[in-house]
Amino acid sequence: MASTFHSIETAKRSILTQTAALNTTGHNVANANTEGYSRQVVNMKASLSMEAYGVNRSISPGQLGTGVEFDSITRIRNVFLDGQFRGENSSNGRWTIQAENLSKLEGIMNEPSDSGLRAVLDKFWQAWSDLSKDPENSTARKIVLETGVAMTDAINYMNRQLDNLSADLTTSIGMKDQEAIGYLSSIADLNASIARLEGLGDDANDLRDQRDLLTDKLSKIVNITVTEEETGYNIMMGTTPLLQGNAVQVQQAPAGDPSASFLMQGYAAGTLQGGEAYGIIYSRDSYVVDSKAQLNNLVNTIMNGRIENIPIPAGSMLPEGTVVKQDTTVTVNGADQLVTAGSPLPANSVLKSATTIDVNGFNGLHQLGFTLNGTTDRGLPFFVGTDAGSLRINPAILSNSNLLATSLRTEGAGTGAVVKGNNTLALLMSSLNEAKFTAADGTQSTVNSQYAAMVGILGVKAEEAQRQAENSDILVTQVESHRQSISGVSLDEELSNMMKFQHAYTSAARFMTTFDQLLDKLINSTGIVGR
């Protein structure tokens, strides 16, 4: 038969179990807005039933239940969704960073606008056109120089901004290296704490939530694969181990040397393929480097890009050695002679018929003409420098506008004074906005078209990165919504559970009170008849 106090024990187990359930519900409600928190549940089960003792066996049918107990308090978590979220989070981190940096590059280009390089180029060509109307006008000459300075300043400033962006991205790599190492160190500490607590038989639910939250944040920085072993989380970046148990496998880069970081090494090895770190390095080494190369190519094209078939009118006097592209009659010291196509012009030759020539860029064309310095010296290179950062107007020309070459004529048979009012070269210079330059890569286009292509390519990249970032935002939101539908705290559900556990607790307490009254009657009121 059952023990006299059997029901009291049954009621006690119920009260203890419902108390644990209520405490857990309160914990869920308290953490409803806690980042990374997973709702917890008390896993109840019927306690082991017993057979009433007899001489051989119980004479009562069936086994006697002993109530309820709980064997664990576990958190609700879906490992598959965790892995999916981290993968999408890594992709989102990459595309978001790339879209942001492409947007910055678009801001540097500042096109289309009234203050971008395209507008400055247009003003430069227009200044030459205005000068061609009055080549001896000192004001027009100074305007040419001022617009030229404005153009070189715009290119120099753009180059500095690209350098600054590259430096900022390099600094960001060091910061992301430090941030990632910090997350890995914290996860390693949590691995050790969780292993210690759960080795004693407890469920380290809150510590596991903290570890998962840090792992999620780490996935925003780098692409990771997470496996759980007895010692805790093992984290890999591609084939590179980042964390094993409580031991971080990578070192933080020395201060001021982000190139030594595990992020840069992983990028070079191809194991870093996602996350904000990838987006930063890719933006620096691809977008910024490409933009600088294109800007330098534009500068080199302006200065030295080959321009074919420049039309030179009759009466012009070209430098000795200039190669004509068609049979041309020239006058040399009063005598006519024929210069065949592909041959160089002799000294002091004046064109008797129009011809065409090729020149090397703006500088090459400027060096064909005569200045206002009172001699027959040819023009100097208009631009000096080797790239977008060092491009300048020739200091000699900048300090003396009379050194601007505008004329291709001399008086008499080619040995007389320069015809200062001749505007042949100035007209040719102003027409270069429509001339096709052959760039270093062999492509042919106008300077404006080359710059427009540079801006257009950047715009396409920015649009694609923005599209990818928006798509990844949607995917991250979807996966997180699925995770929250499983792991998140619903206050309505918790309120319902609270009422259910409260009623169960009240009923268990009432059950205990009832048996207390029965036992009081049995113990205190039995056997007193006749007293």
Side-chain angles (χ1 to χ4, degrees), residues 184-315:
L184 289 168
S185 299
S186 297
I187 295 170
D189 292 340
L190 287 169
N191 276 345
S193 297
I194 291 169
R196 183 173 62 253
L197 286 174
E198 295 189 346
L200 300 174
D202 295 325
D203 291 315
N205 295 322
D206 294 330
L207 293 183
R208 281 180 170 271
D209 282 343
Q210 293 177 28
R211 183 175 66 180
D212 281 329
L213 177 60
L214 292 175
T215 305
D216 289 347
K217 291 183 176 180
L218 179 63
S219 71
K220 187 81 169 180
I221 300 175
V222 297
N223 53 292
I224 57 174
T225 303
V226 181
T227 56
E228 185 170 7
E229 307 290 344
E230 290 184 1
T231 55
Y233 278 177
N234 289 346
I235 300 178
M236 303 282 289
M237 182 182 72
T239 57
T240 302
L242 302 182
L243 175 68
Q244 292 182 337
N246 60 354
V248 178
Q249 302 297 306
V250 290
Q251 300 293 325
Q252 185 172 327
D257 186 18
S259 62
S261 73
F262 79 94
L263 299 175
M264 287 298 300
Q265 294 170 357
Y267 183 83
T271 55
L272 175 62
Q273 297 180 339
E276 293 175 335
Y278 181 91
I280 292 171
I281 299 173
Y282 187 86
S283 295
R284 185 193 67 176
D285 293 355
S286 180
Y287 297 150
V288 177
V289 168
D290 286 351
S291 294
K292 279 184 65 68
Q294 290 169 3
L295 187 60
N296 287 332
N297 189 37
L298 178 69
V299 168
N300 183 61
T301 298
I302 293 173
M303 293 177 64
N304 306 306
R306 192 159 185 80
I307 313 170
E308 298 181 353
N309 302 319
I310 294 290
I312 306 296

Side-chain angles (χ1 to χ4, degrees), residues 492-504:
D492 290 338
E493 183 180 354
E494 296 303 324
L495 179 59
S496 176
N497 287 337
M498 189 184 303
M499 295 174 63
K500 179 173 65 176
F501 299 143
Q502 179 189 8
H503 288 312

Side-chain angles (χ1 to χ4, degrees), residues 128-441:
W128 275 102
S129 178
D130 293 341
L131 178 60
S132 69
K133 299 172 185 178
D134 187 2
E136 297 181 86
N137 186 295
S138 61
T139 300
R141 286 175 168 269
K142 290 178 181 178
I143 291 175
V144 167
L145 292 179
E146 288 301 321
T147 56
V149 169
M151 183 184 74
T152 57
D153 284 350
I155 293 174
N156 297 157
Y157 180 65
M158 190 181 297
N159 184 75
R160 285 196 302 272
Q161 286 184 305
L162 290 174
D163 287 339
N164 291 339
L165 179 57
S166 180
D168 289 344
L169 292 172
T170 299
T171 301
S172 295
I173 294 169
M175 295 174 62
K176 287 301 175 183
D177 174 81
Q178 182 177 357
E179 187 177 358
I181 294 292
Y183 286 145
L184 289 168
S185 299
S186 297
I187 295 170
D189 292 340
L190 287 169
N191 276 345
S193 297
I194 291 169
R196 183 173 62 253
L197 286 174
E198 295 189 346
L200 300 174
D202 295 325
D203 291 315
N205 295 322
D206 294 330
L207 293 183
R208 281 180 170 271
D209 282 343
Q210 293 177 28
R211 183 175 66 180
D212 281 329
L213 177 60
L214 292 175
T215 305
D216 289 347
K217 291 183 176 180
L218 179 63
S219 71
K220 187 81 169 180
I221 300 175
V222 297
N223 53 292
I224 57 174
T225 303
V226 181
T227 56
E228 185 170 7
E229 307 290 344
E230 290 184 1
T231 55
Y233 278 177
N234 289 346
I235 300 178
M236 303 282 289
M237 182 182 72
T239 57
T240 302
L242 302 182
L243 175 68
Q244 292 182 337
N246 60 354
V248 178
Q249 302 297 306
V250 290
Q251 300 293 325
Q252 185 172 327
D257 186 18
S259 62
S261 73
F262 79 94
L263 299 175
M264 287 298 300
Q265 294 170 357
Y267 183 83
T271 55
L272 175 62
Q273 297 180 339
E276 293 175 335
Y278 181 91
I280 292 171
I281 299 173
Y282 187 86
S283 295
R284 185 193 67 176
D285 293 355
S286 180
Y287 297 150
V288 177
V289 168
D290 286 351
S291 294
K292 279 184 65 68
Q294 290 169 3
L295 187 60
N296 287 332
N297 189 37
L298 178 69
V299 168
N300 183 61
T301 298
I302 293 173
M303 293 177 64
N304 306 306
R306 192 159 185 80
I307 313 170
E308 298 181 353
N309 302 319
I310 294 290
I312 306 296
S316 300
M317 181 179 177
L318 296 176
E320 179 183 0
T322 302
V323 176
V324 294
K325 300 192 69 176
Q326 60 196 55
D327 293 346
T328 305
T329 301
V330 299
T331 300
V332 180
N333 298 324
D336 293 348
Q337 69 179 71
L338 178 66
V339 179
T340 59
S343 299
L345 294 174
N348 300 322
S349 57
V350 178
L351 299 183
K352 194 170 183 179
S353 61
T355 189
T356 57
I357 63 172
D358 294 343
V359 297
N360 291 326
F362 199 93
N363 280 351
L365 184 59
H366 188 262
Q367 289 175 274
L368 296 179
F370 300 109
T371 68
L372 298 184
N373 69 348
T375 71
T376 55
D377 294 339
R378 300 286 175 172
L380 299 171
F382 187 83
F383 295 110
V384 295
T386 57
D387 55 26
S390 60
L391 179 68
R392 300 287 188 277
I393 302 294
N394 192 316
I397 298 176
L398 193 58
S399 62
N400 183 5
S401 63
N402 286 337
L403 294 181
L404 279 176
T406 56
S407 174
L408 284 178
R409 287 179 179 265
T410 58
E411 297 175 353
T415 57
V418 172
V419 179
K420 297 181 179 181
N422 177 254
N423 67 350
T424 302
L425 185 62
L427 282 172
L428 292 175
M429 300 291 273
S430 67
S431 68
L432 289 185
N433 67 322
E434 298 179 352
K436 288 189 176 181
F437 290 68
T438 301
D441 59 4

Side-chain angles (χ1 to χ4, degrees), residues 92-147:
N92 179 254
R94 166 193 172 177
W95 287 111
T96 299
I97 290 294
Q98 290 180 209
E100 288 176 357
N101 285 304
L102 284 167
S103 179
K104 291 177 182 178
L105 286 172
E106 286 187 307
I108 291 173
M109 297 302 174
N110 193 27
E111 298 290 351
S113 73
D114 295 332
S115 57
L117 181 58
R118 176 61 183 269
V120 175
L121 283 170
D122 289 341
K123 290 178 180 178
F124 181 64
W125 304 128
Q126 184 60 47
W128 275 102
S129 178
D130 293 341
L131 178 60
S132 69
K133 299 172 185 178
D134 187 2
E136 297 181 86
N137 186 295
S138 61
T139 300
R141 286 175 168 269
K142 290 178 181 178
I143 291 175
V144 167
L145 292 179
E146 288 301 321
T147 56

